[in-house]
Amino acid sequence: MCVVANFQKTTLFSMHLVGAILTFGIGALYVFIQTALSYLMQPHIHSKTMFWTRLSVGIWTLSSIISMFVSSVIMYSTLPGVEVNKKLHWTPGEPGFTAHIVSTISEWSLALSFISFFLTYIRDFKKINLRASAELQSNHLYESQHYRPVSARGPTETSPLLTGSI
């Protein structure tokens, strides 16, 4: 998405398209792969309702992509000789205006469908706990050799760098 945002269609259109394909094309593929996995995981991991919810969002994603593509093709074909990617201001009634609005709404709908899809994972991730363990490998951060502290019973670090005093 950063490529799409940083290379806006008015500056470098080809890079904007590459970013859009990577984001939305690969993203839609991801949505359907995860939906298929959701189908295989029910009823052991989650309910059938979650599968149907993800499938609905996947259909929403696919319909937004199709709508965006078709309206963009119509918009570019109704304005031959005009650099549509450089056109910033549209007025109602001019050729291509309706297709431009449909394309813009479809693009926003697609972005919202991705966000909605990722929100379906909230319940799944609530069931996962992650823990990290910090292990001190040196008495001092500036020593070149790494070794374990003498006492393995607990933290033995007393250097001012890690205790907060200077």
Side-chain angles (χ1 to χ4, degrees), residues 11-88:
T11 55
L12 192 58
F13 186 66
S14 61
M15 205 58 186
H16 179 78
L17 285 179
V18 167
I21 290 168
L22 287 175
T23 301
F24 298 132
I26 305 290
L29 184 64
Y30 175 81
V31 165
F32 283 105
I33 289 172
Q34 287 297 323
T35 301
L37 290 175
S38 291
Y39 176 75
L40 297 173
M41 289 170 32
Q42 51 94 20
H44 305 293
I45 307 296
H46 50 71
S47 67
K48 192 176 272 194
T49 305
M50 187 53 63
F51 162 71
W52 287 110
T53 302
R54 290 180 181 158
L55 183 62
S56 299
V57 174
I59 291 169
W60 174 19
T61 299
L62 188 61
S63 63
S64 293
I65 288 174
I66 291 170
S67 174
M68 184 174 60
F69 180 74
V70 169
S71 61
S72 294
V73 167
I74 291 171
M75 179 178 58
Y76 278 91
S77 65
T78 58
L79 296 169
V82 176
E83 289 188 62
V84 179
N85 56 334
K86 302 234 188 260
K87 188 168 178 59
L88 296 177

Side-chain angles (χ1 to χ4, degrees), residues 115-131:
I115 292 169
S116 298
F117 184 79
F118 293 125
L119 288 177
T120 66
Y121 284 99
I122 289 175
R123 285 181 144 180
D124 294 348
F125 286 123
K126 280 185 178 179
K127 298 174 186 174
I128 298 172
N129 288 327
L130 296 176
R131 284 185 285 277

Side-chain angles (χ1 to χ4, degrees), residues 79-125:
L79 296 169
V82 176
E83 289 188 62
V84 179
N85 56 334
K86 302 234 188 260
K87 188 168 178 59
L88 296 177
H89 303 288
W90 294 81
T91 55
E94 78 176 296
F97 177 77
T98 304
H100 170 70
I101 294 298
V102 170
S103 177
T104 302
I105 291 171
S106 298
E107 190 172 346
W108 279 100
S109 173
L110 183 57
L112 288 174
S113 72
F114 279 4
I115 292 169
S116 298
F117 184 79
F118 293 125
L119 288 177
T120 66
Y121 284 99
I122 289 175
R123 285 181 144 180
D124 294 348
F125 286 123

